[in-house]
Amino acid sequence: MSENPYAPPQAELGVGAEVALGTGDFEFGRCFSDAWARTWANFPLWLGVGIVFLLASIAVSITIIGAFLAFPVLMWGGFAFFLKMHDGGAALRDIFSGFSRYGQALAGSLGWWLLSFVVGLVAQVPVFVAASQAPGSAIALIGAYAIYLGVIFLVTPRITMALVLMVDRGIGLGEALRIAWQATAPLMWKMAGLQLATVGVMLAGALALVVGMIPAMVVGYLMWISAYRQIFGGAPRAA
Protein backbone atom coordinates (compact mmCIF):
# COMPACT_ATOMS: atom_id res chain seq x y z
CA MET A 1 0.00 0.00 0.00
CA SER A 2 1.38 3.42 -0.92
CA GLU A 3 2.18 5.95 1.73
CA ASN A 4 -0.54 8.51 2.52
CA PRO A 5 0.44 11.62 0.50
CA TYR A 6 -1.44 13.90 2.89
CA ALA A 7 0.25 12.86 6.10
CA PRO A 8 2.84 15.55 6.92
CA PRO A 9 6.32 14.07 6.24
CA GLN A 10 8.85 14.22 9.01
CA ALA A 11 11.24 16.33 6.93
CA GLU A 12 8.58 18.92 6.15
CA LEU A 13 8.00 19.71 9.78
CA GLY A 14 11.54 20.93 10.17
CA VAL A 15 11.84 20.15 13.84
CA GLY A 16 14.78 17.78 13.72
CA ALA A 17 12.94 15.14 15.70
CA GLU A 18 11.16 11.87 15.17
CA VAL A 19 7.45 12.43 14.57
CA ALA A 20 4.65 9.92 15.04
CA LEU A 21 2.59 10.41 11.89
CA GLY A 22 -1.18 10.40 11.94
CA THR A 23 -3.58 8.68 9.58
CA GLY A 24 -4.31 11.72 7.43
CA ASP A 25 -7.99 11.41 8.37
CA PHE A 26 -10.23 11.64 11.43
CA GLU A 27 -13.42 10.16 12.84
CA PHE A 28 -16.25 12.33 14.18
CA GLY A 29 -17.15 9.83 16.88
CA ARG A 30 -13.61 9.68 18.17
CA CYS A 31 -13.34 13.48 18.20
CA PHE A 32 -16.37 13.73 20.46
CA SER A 33 -15.53 10.75 22.69
CA ASP A 34 -11.93 11.95 23.16
CA ALA A 35 -13.08 15.47 23.96
CA TRP A 36 -15.84 14.36 26.30
CA ALA A 37 -13.61 11.98 28.26
CA ARG A 38 -10.74 14.45 28.64
CA THR A 39 -13.04 17.32 29.58
CA TRP A 40 -14.47 15.53 32.60
CA ALA A 41 -11.23 13.79 33.53
CA ASN A 42 -9.56 17.19 33.85
CA PHE A 43 -12.51 19.17 35.20
CA PRO A 44 -10.85 20.83 38.22
CA LEU A 45 -7.73 21.59 36.19
CA TRP A 46 -9.32 23.36 33.22
CA LEU A 47 -11.72 25.23 35.47
CA GLY A 48 -8.86 26.67 37.49
CA VAL A 49 -6.78 27.36 34.39
CA GLY A 50 -9.77 29.05 32.78
CA ILE A 51 -10.14 31.43 35.72
CA VAL A 52 -6.43 32.28 35.69
CA PHE A 53 -6.52 32.72 31.90
CA LEU A 54 -9.50 35.08 32.15
CA LEU A 55 -7.87 37.19 34.85
CA ALA A 56 -4.56 37.30 32.94
CA SER A 57 -6.36 38.25 29.72
CA ILE A 58 -8.14 41.12 31.46
CA ALA A 59 -4.88 42.31 33.02
CA VAL A 60 -2.89 42.36 29.77
CA SER A 61 -5.75 43.80 27.71
CA ILE A 62 -6.21 46.91 29.82
CA THR A 63 -3.89 48.79 27.47
CA ILE A 64 -3.73 48.64 23.68
CA ILE A 65 -0.06 47.66 23.88
CA GLY A 66 -0.85 44.76 26.16
CA ALA A 67 -3.71 43.64 23.93
CA PHE A 68 -1.37 43.41 20.95
CA LEU A 69 1.86 42.30 22.63
CA ALA A 70 0.66 39.93 25.37
CA PHE A 71 -2.87 38.66 24.71
CA PRO A 72 -1.94 36.83 21.44
CA VAL A 73 0.81 35.02 23.35
CA LEU A 74 -1.70 33.99 26.01
CA MET A 75 -3.96 32.62 23.26
CA TRP A 76 -1.00 30.61 21.97
CA GLY A 77 -0.57 29.21 25.47
CA GLY A 78 -4.25 28.36 25.58
CA PHE A 79 -3.87 26.07 22.58
CA ALA A 80 -0.72 24.60 24.13
CA PHE A 81 -2.75 23.80 27.24
CA PHE A 82 -5.49 22.05 25.23
CA LEU A 83 -2.86 20.01 23.39
CA LYS A 84 -1.36 18.93 26.70
CA MET A 85 -4.81 18.21 28.13
CA HIS A 86 -5.53 15.92 25.19
CA ASP A 87 -2.13 14.22 25.33
CA GLY A 88 -1.84 14.09 29.10
CA GLY A 89 0.29 16.04 31.57
CA ALA A 90 -1.36 19.47 31.28
CA ALA A 91 -0.51 22.07 33.93
CA LEU A 92 -1.33 25.68 34.74
CA ARG A 93 2.05 26.83 33.45
CA ASP A 94 1.14 25.72 29.92
CA ILE A 95 -1.01 28.81 29.32
CA PHE A 96 2.12 30.94 29.79
CA SER A 97 4.34 28.71 27.62
CA GLY A 98 4.19 31.12 24.69
CA PHE A 99 6.27 33.65 26.62
CA SER A 100 9.23 31.24 26.61
CA ARG A 101 9.34 31.62 22.79
CA TYR A 102 7.84 35.07 22.73
CA GLY A 103 8.86 36.22 19.25
CA GLN A 104 7.59 33.11 17.53
CA ALA A 105 4.35 32.98 19.51
CA LEU A 106 3.59 36.67 18.99
CA ALA A 107 4.39 36.70 15.26
CA GLY A 108 2.56 33.43 14.63
CA SER A 109 -0.54 34.43 16.57
CA LEU A 110 -0.79 37.93 15.12
CA GLY A 111 -0.19 36.60 11.61
CA TRP A 112 -2.87 33.96 12.02
CA TRP A 113 -5.44 36.38 13.45
CA LEU A 114 -4.73 38.87 10.67
CA LEU A 115 -5.19 36.16 8.07
CA SER A 116 -8.43 35.01 9.68
CA PHE A 117 -9.69 38.60 9.76
CA VAL A 118 -8.90 39.11 6.07
CA VAL A 119 -10.56 35.82 5.11
CA GLY A 120 -13.67 36.75 7.10
CA LEU A 121 -13.72 40.25 5.59
CA VAL A 122 -13.42 38.94 2.04
CA ALA A 123 -16.23 36.47 2.73
CA GLN A 124 -18.52 39.32 3.78
CA VAL A 125 -17.91 41.46 0.68
CA PRO A 126 -20.52 39.64 -1.48
CA VAL A 127 -23.06 40.03 1.36
CA PHE A 128 -22.44 43.79 1.60
CA VAL A 129 -22.69 44.17 -2.17
CA ALA A 130 -25.91 42.14 -2.43
CA ALA A 131 -27.49 43.96 0.53
CA SER A 132 -26.80 47.32 -1.11
CA GLN A 133 -28.70 46.37 -4.25
CA ALA A 134 -32.25 47.50 -4.95
CA PRO A 135 -35.13 45.61 -3.29
CA GLY A 136 -36.02 42.42 -5.05
CA SER A 137 -32.48 41.04 -5.12
CA ALA A 138 -33.26 38.21 -2.70
CA ILE A 139 -31.62 35.64 -4.97
CA ALA A 140 -28.41 37.67 -5.04
CA LEU A 141 -28.48 37.99 -1.25
CA ILE A 142 -29.01 34.26 -0.80
CA GLY A 143 -26.12 33.56 -3.16
CA ALA A 144 -23.92 36.01 -1.27
CA TYR A 145 -24.68 34.33 2.04
CA ALA A 146 -23.94 30.96 0.45
CA ILE A 147 -20.50 32.27 -0.53
CA TYR A 148 -19.97 33.62 2.98
CA LEU A 149 -20.92 30.35 4.65
CA GLY A 150 -18.80 28.44 2.15
CA VAL A 151 -15.72 30.42 3.15
CA ILE A 152 -16.50 30.12 6.87
CA PHE A 153 -17.07 26.37 6.77
CA LEU A 154 -14.66 25.29 4.02
CA VAL A 155 -11.70 27.61 4.55
CA THR A 156 -11.63 28.64 8.21
CA PRO A 157 -11.41 25.07 9.62
CA ARG A 158 -8.36 24.34 7.47
CA ILE A 159 -6.69 27.54 8.63
CA THR A 160 -7.39 26.56 12.23
CA MET A 161 -5.27 23.45 11.80
CA ALA A 162 -2.37 25.69 10.80
CA LEU A 163 -2.59 27.48 14.15
CA VAL A 164 -2.46 24.20 16.06
CA LEU A 165 0.47 23.07 13.91
CA MET A 166 2.41 26.21 14.82
CA VAL A 167 1.85 25.69 18.52
CA ASP A 168 2.53 21.95 18.45
CA ARG A 169 5.42 21.70 16.02
CA GLY A 170 7.18 25.04 16.49
CA ILE A 171 7.03 25.98 12.78
CA GLY A 172 6.26 29.31 11.13
CA LEU A 173 2.90 30.47 9.81
CA GLY A 174 3.78 30.00 6.14
CA GLU A 175 4.97 26.43 6.60
CA ALA A 176 2.04 25.59 8.88
CA LEU A 177 -0.45 26.91 6.32
CA ARG A 178 1.19 24.93 3.52
CA ILE A 179 1.14 21.67 5.47
CA ALA A 180 -2.37 22.19 6.84
CA TRP A 181 -3.80 23.17 3.45
CA GLN A 182 -2.27 20.14 1.76
CA ALA A 183 -3.23 17.68 4.49
CA THR A 184 -6.84 18.85 4.76
CA ALA A 185 -7.53 19.14 1.02
CA PRO A 186 -9.27 15.73 0.83
CA LEU A 187 -11.01 16.42 4.16
CA MET A 188 -12.59 19.75 3.25
CA TRP A 189 -16.19 18.61 3.68
CA LYS A 190 -15.40 16.62 6.80
CA MET A 191 -13.78 19.70 8.30
CA ALA A 192 -16.96 21.65 7.56
CA GLY A 193 -18.90 18.86 9.29
CA LEU A 194 -16.61 19.12 12.30
CA GLN A 195 -17.29 22.83 12.49
CA LEU A 196 -21.03 22.18 12.36
CA ALA A 197 -20.67 19.54 15.06
CA THR A 198 -18.78 22.02 17.23
CA VAL A 199 -21.54 24.59 16.76
CA GLY A 200 -24.04 21.92 17.77
CA VAL A 201 -22.11 21.22 20.97
CA MET A 202 -22.04 24.94 21.77
CA LEU A 203 -25.79 25.26 21.17
CA ALA A 204 -26.45 22.26 23.40
CA GLY A 205 -24.34 23.90 26.09
CA ALA A 206 -26.21 27.18 25.66
CA LEU A 207 -29.50 25.39 26.28
CA ALA A 208 -28.09 24.47 29.68
CA LEU A 209 -27.31 28.16 30.25
CA VAL A 210 -23.92 29.24 31.62
CA VAL A 211 -23.40 26.00 33.54
CA GLY A 212 -23.40 24.00 30.30
CA MET A 213 -21.77 26.58 28.04
CA ILE A 214 -18.41 26.50 29.81
CA PRO A 215 -17.75 22.75 29.52
CA ALA A 216 -19.25 22.85 26.01
CA MET A 217 -16.51 25.28 24.98
CA VAL A 218 -13.86 22.95 26.38
CA VAL A 219 -15.39 19.97 24.56
CA GLY A 220 -15.48 22.03 21.35
CA TYR A 221 -11.79 22.95 21.53
CA LEU A 222 -10.79 19.38 22.36
CA MET A 223 -12.77 18.04 19.41
CA TRP A 224 -10.47 20.06 17.14
CA ILE A 225 -7.39 18.89 19.00
CA SER A 226 -8.52 15.28 18.62
CA ALA A 227 -9.07 15.77 14.89
CA TYR A 228 -5.64 17.37 14.64
CA ARG A 229 -3.92 14.49 16.43
CA GLN A 230 -5.72 11.93 14.26
CA ILE A 231 -4.65 13.70 11.07
CA PHE A 232 -1.12 14.76 11.97
CA GLY A 233 -0.10 12.37 14.70
CA GLY A 234 1.78 12.91 17.93
CA ALA A 235 4.08 15.69 18.99
CA PRO A 236 7.78 15.61 18.04
CA ARG A 237 10.00 13.46 20.23
CA ALA A 238 13.66 14.08 20.88
CA ALA A 239 15.86 12.04 18.55
Side-chain angles (χ1 to χ4, degrees):
M1 182 179 295
S2 60
E3 184 176 319
N4 186 344
Y6 298 106
Q10 179 174 327
E12 287 186 343
L13 297 173
V15 293
E18 183 186 356
V19 176
L21 298 180
T23 65
D25 200 352
F26 68 93
E27 300 175 0
F28 289 108
R30 181 176 170 185
C31 289
F32 181 77
S33 62
D34 284 353
W36 183 264
R38 285 161 175 77
T39 295
W40 297 113
N42 294 275
F43 171 65
L45 174 63
W46 62 254
L47 183 61
V49 167
I51 293 172
V52 173
F53 181 86
L54 177 62
L55 294 176
S57 298
I58 294 173
V60 301
S61 299
I62 292 177
T63 65
I64 296 178
I65 294 177
F68 278 97
L69 298 184
F71 182 73
V73 183
L74 276 176
M75 290 296 297
W76 177 288
F79 276 92
F81 172 76
F82 280 117
L83 280 164
K84 286 287 190 67
M85 197 164 91
H86 177 277
D87 299 341
L92 174 62
R93 63 179 179 273
D94 293 324
I95 62 172
F96 302 107
S97 60
F99 290 97
S100 64
R101 41 177 174 172
Y102 180 78
Q104 180 189 25
L106 180 63
S109 294
L110 287 179
W112 185 86
W113 285 111
L114 178 60
L115 175 64
S116 299
F117 173 78
V118 171
V119 168
L121 187 63
V122 170
Q124 294 180 54
V125 169
V127 177
F128 291 144
V129 172
S132 65
Q133 301 301 311
S137 58
I139 295 179
L141 188 59
I142 292 173
Y145 272 109
I147 294 174
Y148 171 76
L149 291 175
V151 172
I152 295 302
F153 282 93
L154 298 179
V155 176
T156 303
R158 299 172 68 184
I159 295 176
T160 299
M161 288 298 173
L163 175 59
V164 186
L165 269 168
M166 283 194 295
V167 176
D168 185 40
R169 304 290 169 89
I171 57 180
L173 177 59
E175 183 72 355
L177 284 170
R178 183 185 69 80
I179 295 173
W181 201 257
Q182 176 188 6
T184 58
L187 306 174
M188 184 170 60
W189 293 104
K190 288 189 71 173
M191 300 292 291
L194 180 61
Q195 182 135 317
L196 280 173
T198 305
V199 172
V201 169
M202 298 297 183
L203 290 176
L207 292 176
L209 303 179
V210 177
V211 176
M213 193 62 188
I214 296 175
M217 292 176 61
V218 177
V219 171
Y221 275 111
L222 287 175
M223 286 174 67
W224 284 92
I225 299 301
S226 176
Y228 167 81
R229 279 288 183 236
Q230 292 179 59
I231 297 170
F232 295 97
R237 300 187 297 270

